[in-house]
Amino acid sequence: MLKLVEKLNNAGATLVVVGDAAGPQDYRIPNVHFFSMNDQLSLPFRTATALPTGCYARKNVGYLLAISEGADCIYETDDDNAPEELWALRSLRTTARVMAPRKWANVYRMFCGENIWPRGFPLQLIADETTFHQAGECAVEDKDAPIQQGLVDGSPDVDAIWRMTLGRPFAFPPGQPSVWLPPGTWCPFNSQTTWWWPVAYPLLYLPSHCPFRMTDVFRSFVAQRCLWELGFGIVFHAPRVVQERNGHNLLRDFEDEVVGYLRNPEIIDALEKLFLRRGEDAISENMRACYEELVRMSVFPESELALLDQWLEDVRDLMSARGFTGNLAGSAKGSG
């Protein structure tokens, strides 16, 4: 966190840290905007009081705080991730290898030749070369990408099966160019080191009524589906962050991930079949349509829709009021 604050300070940016019921009550790092649980409950956001406690989705409050400060871009991370020397602010327009369309993409294999896959990737496709092989040379183009995911060295974001069977410190080969996945190609992305621009701010929403290990994965599926209606794909970057992972019970992580192992292909098939409207003004409507479908499938209970509606109202009010002027802001979950 000290390294992240140093990087953000040099960029004239703000770090927002949100706590939870377990604490802490203060956060003794200079130039950090820390919001304890009590601080959050006094905020004028519907979401702040509606979210459950002891829940990773309290990170939603950090996103709202960043939007309320007029952030031109939001970088999200967690407190066990440290920026490396090459870490720097990113731009909406980025240069990337353009990958050929496919149903699923194992992006990790597009950056290395080793047996590794992102958390949320279908287990039955781990050995499927069509998910990572590229026939011929990739075109390299400049792409506007309002969601950009960074890979991580040290402890990349993989599932519990990889950690229990292949787990070891891992580093991707350095110097690999970024990858752009076209609309229609699925790859789960996480909340570990991810960049968001204003058109995608509503899609930041992390659902609460699902296992902890699936909240950002399910979010990534909804976000991708909605972005496609704007003509955008997702960009993945080579690592500029190293994770020194907080302690985890891997069997508990596995238990949390089971619903994804069993249902992720079914979930994306259902989202693909939805009729969504084109255009930026349809994002909130499209998000709700996606979550309504997931409620119908019993991925989420009905109560998730009430939280989503409060989030969408908060985001609408803040985006209307602020107009996206000001510095980049960061958002981090301070309780690990």
Side-chain angles (χ1 to χ4, degrees):
M1 296 302 291
L2 290 170
K3 290 181 180 178
L4 180 60
V5 169
E6 179 183 0
K7 288 286 188 181
L8 292 173
N9 284 346
N10 290 340
T14 301
L15 178 64
V16 176
V17 177
V18 293
D20 209 327
Q25 296 306 309
D26 57 34
Y27 203 80
R28 298 180 182 179
I29 296 180
N31 301 318
V32 170
H33 292 188
F34 173 70
F35 290 81
S36 68
M37 191 69 224
N38 288 336
D39 295 331
Q40 294 171 47
L41 295 178
S42 67
L43 293 169
F45 305 148
R46 303 165 184 85
T47 305
T49 54
L51 286 170
T53 59
C55 177
Y56 187 79
R58 292 214 69 85
K59 210 173 180 183
N60 288 328
V61 177
Y63 308 146
L64 292 173
L65 287 162
I67 295 170
S68 74
E69 295 191 13
D72 296 316
C73 174
I74 295 175
Y75 172 69
E76 66 169 342
T77 189
D78 293 318
D79 62 2
D80 53 0
N81 291 267
E84 297 177 316
E85 186 61 32
L86 291 178
W87 189 98
L89 304 189
R90 294 200 177 273
S91 300
L92 174 68
R93 174 151 288 198
T94 188
T95 302
R97 292 176 284 167
V98 177
M99 307 308 293
R102 63 202 77 198
K103 176 83 167 184
W104 285 93
N106 181 352
V107 166
Y108 287 10
R109 292 292 299 269
M110 293 173 174
F111 282 87
C112 72
E114 302 195 45
N115 190 23
I116 189 169
W117 59 91
R119 177 169 51 91
F121 188 78
L123 297 178
Q124 60 269 42
L125 298 179
I126 289 171
D128 187 341
E129 291 189 1
T130 67
T131 66
F132 55 85
H133 180 69
Q134 181 79 3
E137 291 292 322
C138 297
V140 177
E141 299 179 8
D142 290 339
K143 294 288 186 180
D144 286 344
I147 302 176
Q148 300 176 27
Q149 167 84 79
L151 276 59
V152 172
D153 282 333
S155 186
D157 192 45
V158 292
D159 61 33
I161 289 178
W162 192 93
R163 292 190 190 281
M164 290 189 287
T165 60
L166 301 168
R168 60 182 173 81
F170 190 94
F172 290 91
Q176 295 295 307
S178 302
V179 163
W180 179 81
L181 298 183
T185 297
W186 297 93
C187 182
F189 66 85
N190 58 62
S191 57
Q192 193 170 5
T193 173
T194 314
W195 298 82
W196 302 73
W197 278 265
V199 69
Y201 283 174
L203 302 172
L204 277 159
Y205 175 77
L206 286 166
S208 295
H209 297 295
C210 65
F212 153 65
R213 296 285 292 170
M214 297 309 300
T215 178
D216 55 348
V217 171
F218 289 156
R219 174 185 72 171
S220 77
F221 295 150
V222 172
Q224 286 172 83
R225 181 65 185 88
C226 292
L227 272 193
W228 296 346
E229 298 303 324
L230 304 177
F232 292 119
I234 304 290
V235 164
F236 291 80
H237 297 290
R240 291 186 178 177
V241 167
V242 62
Q243 186 188 61
E244 298 178 11
R245 195 173 193 239
N246 293 326
H248 280 245
N249 181 316
L250 293 181
L251 282 177
R252 188 174 302 158
D253 284 354
F254 171 81
E255 183 180 16
D256 270 0
E257 293 165 5
V258 166
V259 63
Y261 300 144
L262 297 178
R263 301 199 68 184
N264 281 353
E266 173 194 2
I267 286 169
I268 66 102
D269 284 346
L271 293 177
E272 279 184 340
K273 293 174 183 175
L274 288 177
F275 174 78
L276 302 182
R277 288 202 303 118
R278 303 283 291 179
E280 294 181 19
D281 62 342
I283 287 182
S284 295
E285 174 189 325
N286 289 344
M287 280 185 71
R288 202 175 200 286
C290 289
Y291 278 96
E292 285 174 352
E293 178 64 13
L294 297 178
V295 167
R296 187 195 66 78
M297 298 171 63
S298 299
V299 177
F300 295 104
E302 188 82 23
S303 51
E304 191 67 57
L305 294 178
L307 283 177
L308 175 66
D309 288 340
Q310 289 167 313
W311 160 267
L312 291 173
E313 290 178 18
D314 283 334
V315 171
R316 178 201 63 206
D317 292 348
L318 291 173
M319 294 179 76
S320 175
R322 300 300 296 185
F324 309 116
T325 59
N327 294 327
L328 171 143
S331 175
K333 183 70 163 64
S335 63

